[in-house]
Amino acid sequence: MIAEFKLIERIAALQGADDGVRIGIGDDAAVLAITPGHELAVTTDTLVAGVHFPLDAAPADIGYKAVAVNVSDLAAMGATPRFATLALTLPSIDMGFVEPLLRGITEALKRDFMTLVGGDTTRGPFSITITAMGEVPQGTSLTRSGASAGDHVYVSGTLGDAAAALAMRGRWPALQEAGKLAKSRLEQRLAKPHPRVALGSALRGIASACIDVSDGLAQDLGHIARLSGVAIVIDVSLLPLSRALQTVVPDAEQQWPYAFGGDDYELAFCAPPQSASAIERLATELKLPLTCIGTVGPGQGVHLLDHDGRVRDVPRGYEHFRT
């Protein structure tokens, strides 16, 4: 029991000063104040050992990613991250594991100026749950339900790096020096994604619908298509792929399926054609590629056209309870 309280004290030390925290760690609940004229966006994700990360993953990377995947959800809503809670389940308290885990959490919290305000610790198979809270000006949240026929479909950054790293884990092909650098880049994209917070905020008033790419591009865009009552057509020849992915997987026909593998934590969004110039300016200002990869039309579902204009089967993304 003493060890548990010491762990809680160690976690409490992660909390920084924040004027919005009226009551933080130490009471039965946190009391928070948000900026006048804003609404609170709240999201929760649980990461489970052997499901969301390999059993031998570095503890610091696990902690970082647990925060980052939640922040990515806030970014997709156009929200600015503010607060987080941590629920940590451990088989035992091994500070050789816990300390780097907490360092990873702290790194991610500091990256997005977030404050840890509470949580829970318990004994059991290792899992980590983060609840992240962010602010968005009233009535300006980005959603999945606003896409209209005629919109263009965009994605930030590049796709497929994390999926390739996961697929090749333990069975990388023989690589020359350039390939080894590319491999390292792919593995970093899997371990430490960079949520597109600045982009999400900037897309308020520009994007008609938005989602973060976590379970796979087609599956995530499928949520927009379903909730907006539209069809989305993706041209696979337009998918932005990194130089690292193209180095490790030189065959173009084998490259594009990785773009649908998930774990990218980029933003996919729809916008009317008249927003094209504003999106180009955003890409320049943020120094972030924003690539038009398809269109929105009447109908339903997500459809793929390959390099030759043929309709292709839509790759399935990640599902926890697939049957």
Side-chain angles (χ1 to χ4, degrees):
M1 187 64 68
I2 294 174
E4 179 185 355
F5 288 135
K6 285 187 175 180
L7 174 59
I8 293 171
E9 289 174 0
R10 182 69 191 92
I11 293 171
L14 297 177
Q15 178 177 260
D18 190 318
D19 292 340
V21 181
R22 299 292 187 256
I23 301 174
I25 296 174
D27 277 84
D28 289 306
V31 177
L32 310 172
I34 66 172
T35 305
H38 288 65
E39 296 170 324
L40 195 65
V42 182
T43 184
T44 300
D45 263 308
T46 296
L47 272 65
V48 177
V51 178
H52 298 96
F53 53 85
L55 295 174
D56 61 349
D61 289 345
I62 297 170
Y64 179 96
K65 191 168 185 176
V67 176
V69 300
N70 281 277
V71 172
S72 185
D73 285 333
L74 294 180
M77 300 294 292
T80 300
R82 286 293 308 275
F83 312 111
T85 64
L86 166 65
L88 188 59
T89 301
L90 297 164
S92 62
I93 298 177
D94 173 4
M95 294 309 293
F97 177 87
V98 172
E99 280 289 350
L101 178 74
L102 297 182
R103 283 199 301 271
I105 292 170
T106 303
E107 179 187 353
L109 291 172
K110 288 182 176 179
R111 170 189 167 91
D112 291 302
F113 306 101
M114 300 180 74
T115 303
L116 191 70
V117 298
D120 189 27
T121 58
T122 190
R123 184 174 184 174
F126 176 48
S127 70
I128 178 171
T129 299
I130 298 287
T131 296
M133 292 159 269
E135 295 180 341
V136 59
Q138 192 167 355
T140 66
S141 296
L142 301 175
T143 70
R144 302 174 178 184
S145 59
S148 300
D151 283 356
H152 292 168
V153 182
Y154 293 84
V155 70
S156 65
T158 59
L159 301 169
D161 288 358
L166 188 60
M168 295 183 190
R169 186 175 170 83
R171 56 184 188 88
W172 290 94
L175 299 170
Q176 301 299 320
E177 195 60 33
K180 292 177 182 177
L181 292 173
K183 170 179 176 287
S184 177
R185 166 67 175 164
L186 300 183
E187 290 176 331
Q188 277 295 103
R189 285 292 304 274
L190 175 63
K192 301 186 75 171
H194 291 177
R196 302 303 187 183
V197 173
L199 173 61
S201 297
L203 286 174
R204 296 194 300 257
I206 295 176
S208 57
C210 187
I211 193 169
D212 80 318
V213 183
S214 53
D215 295 327
L217 180 66
Q219 185 157 304
D220 291 323
L221 284 176
H223 296 312
I224 290 181
R226 178 173 55 84
L227 292 173
S228 297
V230 296
I232 292 177
V233 179
I234 301 302
D235 184 340
V236 300
S237 69
L238 301 177
L239 295 172
L241 305 176
S242 72
R243 190 170 299 175
L245 176 57
Q246 294 176 68
T247 297
V248 173
V249 186
D251 185 337
E253 187 60 24
Q254 294 181 12
Q255 292 167 0
W256 69 263
Y258 286 112
F260 295 90
D263 249 3
D264 298 295
Y265 299 101
E266 297 290 349
L267 295 186
F269 60 96
C270 304
Q274 57 268 32
S275 296
S277 58
I279 292 169
E280 288 179 12
R281 286 194 299 272
L282 267 184
T284 300
E285 291 169 5
L286 298 176
K287 297 179 181 178
L288 175 67
L290 301 176
T291 306
C292 182
I293 60 171
T295 56
V296 178
Q300 60 184 358
V302 176
H303 310 272
L304 305 185
L305 299 179
D306 69 10
H307 297 79
D308 298 318
R310 297 173 298 183
V311 177
R312 299 293 292 262
D313 291 336
V314 178
R316 295 179 70 179
Y318 183 78
E319 298 176 40
H320 287 280
F321 300 102
R322 178 177 293 174
T323 57

